[in-house]
Amino acid sequence: MNKTIILNSRPIGKPQLSDFKLVEEEMPKITEGEILLKAKFVSVDPYLRGRMSDAKSYVPPFELQKLMGSGLVAEVTESQNEKFKVGDFVSGALNWKEFQVSTGENLLKIDDSVAPLSNYLGVLGMTGLTAYFGLTEIGKPQKGETIVVSGAAGAVGSIVGQIGKIMGCRVVGIAGSDEKVDLLKSKIGFDEAINYNTTEDMTNAIAEACPNGVDVYFDNVGGEISDAVHANINRLGRVINCGAISAYNDTSVLTGPRVEYFLIKKSALMQGFIVSNYAEKFPEGIKHLSKWLSEGKLTSTETIVEGFENIPQAFIDLFDGKNNGKMIVKI
Amino acid sequence: MNKTIILNSRPIGKPQLSDFKLVEEEMPKITEGEILLKAKFVSVDPYLRGRMSDAKSYVPPFELQKLMGSGLVAEVTESQNEKFKVGDFVSGALNWKEFQVSTGENLLKIDDSVAPLSNYLGVLGMTGLTAYFGLTEIGKPQKGETIVVSGAAGAVGSIVGQIGKIMGCRVVGIAGSDEKVDLLKSKIGFDEAINYNTTEDMTNAIAEACPNGVDVYFDNVGGEISDAVHANINRLGRVINCGAISAYNDTSVLTGPRVEYFLIKKSALMQGFIVSNYAEKFPEGIKHLSKWLSEGKLTSTETIVEGFENIPQAFIDLFDGKNNGKMIVKI
């Protein structure tokens, strides 16, 4: 039998295991032009929380009692499509199924001799591209400027910090545990990191960590952490609104200080984005990320959980910050 | 004796007449290299409210018991400076004095045969340049897009709407009285206008006035009016944060819905600015504004109050929206 995971109920607040359901089905069969894929690695990402609600957004919501999905790396185990042969590895937006049938459309062939397969869900996948384009296209950091990253130990944040260093900036991370703060400073290369869970006055802590103020703020978190960064933004500062995980489950942070005042006073900018806005430039992004990875300037931080049935728990753990870097489920 | 106006006390909330003081002094005398200026027109602007507080901002605060100042048009009545002759008209940042001495530095000679002198404080001055650069440099409106303007009947807003029409956009204004709504639609050329004082559901009213959504929002007001516009913003929309008059006197609107969520969902942008950011491009702006003015595509809407001693009241009246277009005091 083939294992699949469906959306059992729409979460209220933080997702629960009962919002998901493991369903077994007959093993799928391919016909002419199709390939059979075996899931190898499954990406779990905060943005999926939005798709579990039925609110209108930039991607359609998952349907109740239908399959969940995300970015997957898979192996071709059967092929009736001349473009793919058994043993090929691919990445793409796929369903949460151990085995699934595909026409091969929108799948990218990937090479495990260039980088470990899991990297194609992280630093060489949407995660890396999100960090790269958000930072370079909106943040436009200049050498010597200061970049603050919230959710710094997360999948996107840990890459943003490293690209910031490559670009010659001072990089300060905000994360939720001393362990993450240590990781950011000792392994990932941040100049400074702040544990927001043990810091009483975040505004002051950011001011101390950023003696020249904040030129670029890469925001994965939103909420009160962001208020504290906004208070330290420099003239002509840029805020990249990549995510707002603080609010995905919690409606109490939906209001806060109005931003018009600091935006006007500082001639500052806030801009939201999704990575697909830059789809035309993906090859450029991949080229830079691959080069930095191969030169050792960029390291991939991953938290790998094992077992298909653990996908929902791995996803839920994102909201408790249990991941360092990219959270991936190995099948 | 020469009349001057000083800052008597820092306002708490809305400025009062008692925050200002009319002070008489000896008539000033010029020496070598100087000119004597007689004030002809005085600009009063919402941003001056910020300078009456001692909070740090992009311009230094006025000092207590020292002169107030703003944009003035003045006539040269005596000259010991070869660059200026008696009868010349100039505009620039000057003090609130009937007569004052200047070296001529940072003053612009203006020509009353090109446009009425008061226009140099409005459509051909900082006001027009603020509208022009905010809209074109941040808003970047494309033909056929929809622009919403708050404070639409104000000095900047009324020009933004007209430039929007010149650029081929649908332009919708928000103002505070039926008289202003009529003015916007019948005289200034807005396609639609909404009276926020008599509209219960602003979000819905904006949706109805903007059947294709809002691509560009030129915000002079901030606060709840802006919340309603943000709710209607299109994908890749742009919000120009020019002013936030709703909050200059009222601290109760300092919190509101967090904007990260719509910015991310819509890949939208908010950007604050002050006109001096674009100082290098002022000649380009003046060229366009003068051309449109001479072609009759741009009309100047002004509310003119008479009398030097009425400058404070004219300024206070801005916060009650008593002006249509640019508020100017004629001396």
Side-chain angles (χ1 to χ4, degrees), chain B residues 131-170:
Chain B
Y132 177 83
F133 287 109
L135 187 62
T136 59
E137 293 280 330
I138 300 173
K140 297 186 175 77
Q142 303 298 307
K143 197 176 169 178
E145 287 192 326
T146 298
I147 302 172
V148 170
V149 188
S150 64
V156 172
S158 59
I159 299 173
V160 169
Q162 294 178 80
I163 299 176
K165 289 308 298 175
I166 291 168
M167 297 181 85
C169 296
R170 176 173 177 80

Side-chain angles (χ1 to χ4, degrees), chain A residues 307-321:
Chain A
F308 185 85
E309 60 283 1
N310 290 325
I311 299 174
Q313 187 62 55
F315 171 69
I316 291 167
D317 285 347
L318 288 174
F319 298 96
D320 295 320

Side-chain angles (χ1 to χ4, degrees), chain A residues 227 235 253-254 258 270 277, chain B residues 227 235 253 258 270 277:
Chain A
D227 300 339
R235 185 169 173 274
V253 296
L254 292 177
R258 289 184 182 276
M270 290 177 76
N277 298 348
Chain B
D227 301 338
R235 185 169 172 274
V253 297
R258 290 186 182 276
M270 290 177 77
N277 297 349

Side-chain angles (χ1 to χ4, degrees), chain A residues 6 8 73 89 95 125 129-130 136 206 252-253 261 278 327:
Chain A
I6 65 168
N8 195 42
V73 162
F89 294 110
N95 293 315
L129 291 168
T130 298
T136 59
I206 293 161
S252 69
V253 296
Y261 315 121
Y278 303 102
M327 179 78 104

Side-chain angles (χ1 to χ4, degrees), chain A residues 95-248:
Chain A
N95 293 315
W96 286 3
K97 299 177 79 162
E98 231 181 340
F99 286 89
Q100 61 197 291
V101 173
S102 166
T103 61
E105 211 179 346
N106 295 322
L107 294 181
L108 191 72
K109 273 201 223 184
I110 58 176
D111 184 346
D112 66 344
S113 71
V114 171
L117 289 176
S118 59
N119 282 193
Y120 291 93
L121 296 178
V123 63
L124 295 181
M126 288 302 133
T127 306
L129 291 168
T130 298
Y132 178 83
F133 287 109
L135 187 62
T136 59
E137 294 279 328
I138 301 174
K140 297 185 176 78
Q142 303 297 309
K143 197 176 169 179
E145 287 193 325
T146 298
I147 302 172
V148 170
V149 188
S150 64
V156 172
S158 59
I159 299 174
V160 168
Q162 295 178 79
I163 299 176
K165 289 308 298 176
I166 292 168
M167 297 180 84
C169 296
R170 175 173 178 81
V171 177
V172 175
I174 302 171
S177 71
D178 286 343
E179 181 216 341
K180 288 182 178 180
V181 162
D182 286 345
L183 178 80
L184 289 172
K185 292 202 281 187
S186 64
K187 295 263 172 64
I188 305 186
F190 281 67
D191 295 293
E192 198 52 71
I194 302 167
N195 178 353
Y196 67 83
N197 273 319
T198 57
T199 302
E200 262 190 40
D201 184 342
M202 279 298 290
T203 303
N204 190 45
I206 293 161
E208 283 181 8
C210 305
N212 298 320
V214 179
D215 301 295
V216 176
Y217 173 39
F218 197 108
D219 185 10
N220 294 302
V221 165
E224 291 176 4
I225 290 173
S226 294
D227 300 339
V229 185
H230 295 166
N232 285 288
I233 211 90
N234 282 341
R235 185 169 173 274
L236 301 175
R238 295 132 265 158
V239 175
I240 303 137
N241 293 110
C242 179
I245 197 171
S246 69
Y248 292 174

Side-chain angles (χ1 to χ4, degrees), chain A residues 55-58 219 221-224 226-227 230 235-236 241-244 246-248 250 253-261 263-274 276-277, chain B residues 55-58 219 221-224 226-227 230 235-236 241-244 246-248 250 253-261 263-274 276-277:
Chain A
K56 202 179 155 191
S57 187
Y58 52 83
D219 185 10
V221 165
E224 291 176 4
S226 294
D227 300 339
H230 295 166
R235 185 169 173 274
L236 301 175
N241 293 110
C242 179
S246 69
Y248 292 174
D250 182 356
V253 296
L254 292 177
T255 61
R258 289 184 182 276
V259 296
E260 297 96 294
Y261 315 121
L263 292 177
I264 296 172
K265 277 193 185 179
K266 300 297 178 65
S267 293
L269 168 152
M270 290 177 76
Q271 186 167 355
F273 79 108
I274 53 171
S276 57
N277 298 348
Chain B
K56 203 180 156 190
S57 187
Y58 52 84
D219 185 10
V221 165
E224 291 176 4
S226 294
D227 301 338
H230 295 165
R235 185 169 172 274
L236 300 175
N241 294 110
C242 179
S246 69
Y248 292 174
D250 182 357
V253 297
L254 291 177
T255 61
R258 290 186 182 276
V259 297
E260 297 96 292
Y261 315 121
L263 292 177
I264 295 172
K265 276 193 185 179
K266 300 297 178 65
S267 292
L269 168 151
M270 290 177 77
Q271 187 168 354
F273 78 108
I274 53 170
S276 58
N277 297 349

